[in-house]
Amino acid sequence: MNDDDPFLTEEDLALRAEVQLLRQEHADLDASIEALGHVPVPDQLLIARLKRKKLALRDEIVRIEGRILPDIIA
């Protein structure tokens, strides 16, 4: 399904846009965590906080995707 699917509601399109933003933020956090791991004395507390935020973003992405694509009973 792509964004020009005539069966998508405005809400679905808005949710897809939100997921894209969250995925970008998730990727940015991943890059930040990777970069912080390469400094001579990494700030482990900051890295742990970023990892928790990254996990929270992942949970939010999964929750929103569940609203876009509800479970189909086979």
Side-chain angles (χ1 to χ4, degrees):
M1 245 192 301
N2 54 29
D3 287 347
D4 59 349
D5 186 331
F7 298 107
L8 291 177
T9 65
E10 285 185 36
E11 181 184 9
D12 288 342
L13 292 172
L15 290 172
R16 284 177 176 227
E18 185 175 352
V19 166
Q20 277 305 110
L21 289 173
L22 292 172
R23 285 181 194 259
Q24 183 59 53
E25 187 175 350
H26 187 269
D28 292 347
L29 281 171
D30 196 39
S32 296
I33 292 166
E34 178 71 22
L36 284 170
H38 293 294
V39 298
V41 181
D43 182 344
Q44 295 300 326
L45 183 59
L46 177 58
I47 291 172
R49 286 180 182 155
L50 292 176
K51 285 182 177 182
R52 279 193 300 276
K53 185 171 182 178
K54 188 176 149 189
L55 286 172
L57 283 174
R58 177 37 97 196
D59 290 344
E60 182 70 6
I61 290 167
V62 169
R63 186 187 67 74
I64 293 171
E65 287 177 337
R67 288 178 60 194
I68 297 170
L69 302 170
D71 291 337
I72 298 172
I73 300 173

